[in-house]
Structures are given as C-alpha cells and as structure tokens.
Amino acid sequence: MDLTVLYRGPLASCDYDCPYCPFAKRRDSREQLRADRAALERFAGWVAGRTEDRLSVLFTPWGEGLVRSWYRRTMTELSHLPQVRRVAIQTNLSCRTDWLGAADLDTLALWCTYHPGQTPYERFVAKCGELAGRGVRFSVGIVGLPEHLSAAHRLRSALPDHVYLWVNAAEGRTYTDAEAAEWTGIDPLFGYSRHPHASAGQPCRTGSSVISVDGDGTVRRCHFVPTELGNLYDGSYRAALGPRPCPLTVCDCHIGYVHLETLPLYDVFAGGVLERIPAPHRSPGPVPVRLAPTRHAAAP
C-alpha cells in the first residue's frame, strides 16, 4: 500500500497557553506520559515492520510533542526507514534543534506555528534560522487574528524567501474582503482557509489512501469522523479501506480539507502535503466557491 497516516496519541500537555487554543496548558501525569510513550513506540514498531508498504506519517498531537524525547527519537528513527516517504510533525518549535543532526533530512519535515505572546519573536526567528541552516524542510504559520497581523508581516520579511508562511483563519471569525486581501498578501493560499469547504458527499482520500490512528491503534478515516474502520495492529482496518464520500457538512481544518478530491491542493502542495509546503513555482489558481463563512473548529 501507499498510505498516509495521521497519528495522534494520548499526549495532551503543551508548554504554551494560547487563548485561541482549547488544548493549551494541559498537564499530563507521569502515568499519562508513560502511556503516550508506550503508544508511540508501539506505532513506530508497526511502521518499522511495514517493509512492503510506502508510508507517509504526520504526527498531530494535541500537545507539544518535540519537547518529549520519545517524539524526537521516533522522528529520527522513522526518517531512516526506506519505506517511509515522509515523516512530519506539527510543532510550536519550542524544542532545541540539535537532535535534527541525526535525522535523514530528505525524509523529515516540520510544520511550525508561531504563537505571538507565547515566545519572544527573536527566539522563534532564530529557531527558524537554525532549521534553514541545517537544511530542514519546514513551513511556518500563524493564526489570522488582527493582533497578529503586524507580527505576520514582520515574520514574512525575516524568513527566507523559500519558506512558506501560511495563515490559518481564526476560529469563529469572518473576514471582510479587505481583511482577507491583507492576509492573502502574506499567504497567497489564505483563501482556502478563509471559509469552510462544503464536503458532504464529496470524494475524499481519507479512508482510502489516508487514515487517522490514535494511541490504541483505532483507525478512522480522519480526525473529524468518529466512525471506526478497524485497528491498525490486528490489520482489521485494511479490509475497510476504499473510496467513500465525506459524511460531514463542512471541512474547515487544513489537515482535513487538503485531502478533498474536489480541491487542487495535492497539486498545489505536490511533494509537501504533510508539512504544508507548496510545490515551487506552483500557482494556486482561483479558490473554489465554498460555504458561508462560519468557522467550527480551532485552527491547528
């Protein structure tokens, strides 16, 4: 199989407390951290054993994974496996970067988010400079709140030209055309995030070539559809894989709607779907018409 896996274990703790994030500043007990570590190691063992498949893995923890040694170690180990095409993680980049020296940077990539007010601007930019200096594939993003606009412009000026700066529309916020134009000047693809995408009955790669896996190995088509397809570790999910339309009215999170077949995003992000890096010199084209501008979920 050629399979993309979105893994989200039980880790819920984060070192930031962003006011726009419902999962910020949780504290995991020692027992919870041990359980998360064991779940991640079990998943990594499954990946290592799938030598006949081609796998791409995106870690999407509720908390911050890279401050935990087992996520850094797992990312490094998976990056060296020949069956792993890409391994990436969503991170606030608060961790150190020296561990990347042991990784295969042709395979590993980072999806980084800058959170103004949670870390000094200079520190975050310096971390981005370290990534660029090491030759790490990474994107950088920010939530499109009015109070973040000046920081976004400043960040765009500071980042190397080849580093994509994406903007996620803020939860519960609608944007006037003038406001959207301002954000689009920073992120040409902001139009895809501005409004939710009508997805009911539309073809989607999730459940076929893309799956979501939790710490127990329960497989679902994506993070947003609770229906279970089976379990990763007993192989019962495999018989359930196949094309199926989306059962939800809308999809408004990038890690979901990027897989909709009605959108051209697999072409726009060719080679960088998991780490949210557009293909070089790829024109995004017109953004398709979508539903009324109501947001339903926090931006990752």
Side-chain angles (χ1 to χ4, degrees):
M1 290 192 300
D2 195 332
L3 192 65
T4 293
V5 183
L6 311 182
Y7 177 86
R8 178 174 287 165
L11 182 75
S13 54
C14 185
D15 49 346
Y16 287 2
D17 60 352
C18 305
Y20 44 83
C21 178
F23 310 105
K25 220 58 175 178
R26 292 188 183 181
R27 293 186 180 277
D28 286 321
S29 66
R30 289 180 180 270
E31 292 74 18
Q32 289 170 320
L33 291 175
R34 280 197 291 267
D36 181 71
R37 180 173 181 170
L40 183 64
E41 290 174 349
R42 185 185 187 192
F43 173 72
W46 176 87
V47 174
R50 304 307 304 175
T51 55
E52 72 276 24
D53 295 332
R54 289 287 289 164
L55 301 172
S56 300
V57 179
L58 173 62
F59 294 106
T60 64
W62 285 133
E64 173 54 38
L66 291 184
V67 296
R68 306 296 177 184
S69 62
W70 50 96
Y71 280 89
R72 299 192 299 269
R73 181 171 60 253
T74 296
M75 291 280 294
T76 300
E77 292 173 351
L78 295 188
S79 75
H80 290 285
L81 296 179
Q83 67 267 35
V84 175
R85 178 173 297 172
R86 177 77 72 225
V87 57
I89 190 170
Q90 293 177 318
T91 176
N92 62 25
L93 204 57
S94 61
C95 68
R96 65 179 190 267
T97 63
D98 57 346
W99 64 278
L100 290 161
D104 182 344
L105 298 183
D106 289 331
T107 302
L108 183 144
L110 301 178
W111 164 325
C112 309
T113 306
Y114 173 52
H115 299 284
Q118 300 298 310
T119 185
Y121 168 82
E122 293 77 10
R123 181 181 300 170
F124 185 86
V125 170
K127 289 283 184 69
C128 291
E130 293 172 11
L131 297 183
R134 290 180 177 273
V136 178
R137 282 180 58 84
F138 70 105
S139 67
V140 175
I142 195 168
V143 176
L145 292 166
E147 59 268 30
H148 292 174
L149 185 58
S150 61
H153 279 295
R154 188 182 181 195
L155 190 58
R156 179 62 279 170
S157 296
L159 290 171
D161 290 341
H162 73 274
V163 175
Y164 172 50
L165 177 58
W166 48 265
V167 177
N168 273 350
E171 178 186 4
R173 183 171 184 82
T174 58
Y175 294 81
T176 66
D177 288 345
E179 289 171 333
E182 186 86 49
W183 288 111
T184 302
I186 297 169
D187 174 9
L189 301 176
F190 175 70
Y192 288 102
S193 179
R194 182 183 177 188
H195 301 313
H197 295 268
S199 58
Q202 299 301 315
C204 182
R205 296 172 180 87
T206 61
S208 181
S209 60
V210 181
I211 59 172
S212 165
V213 178
D214 68 16
D216 294 325
T218 300
V219 176
R220 298 174 176 85
R221 63 177 300 166
C222 73
H223 290 328
F224 314 106
V225 178
T227 304
E228 297 181 7
L229 302 182
N231 191 275
L232 192 73
Y233 302 121
D234 64 12
S236 57
Y237 74 99
R238 295 176 73 100
L241 296 181
R244 46 171 54 82
C246 180
L248 303 182
T249 303
V250 296
C251 186
D252 67 351
C253 182
H254 180 88
I255 58 174
Y257 65 69
V258 72
H259 304 295
L260 281 172
E261 294 183 38
T262 51
L263 298 177
L265 296 179
Y266 264 50
D267 289 330
V268 173
F269 290 94
V273 170
L274 293 193
E275 61 270 33
R276 202 169 179 174
I277 297 178
H281 312 300
R282 187 64 61 97
S283 172
V287 177
V289 176
R290 57 185 62 77
L291 230 63
T294 302
R295 302 210 58 81
H296 301 280

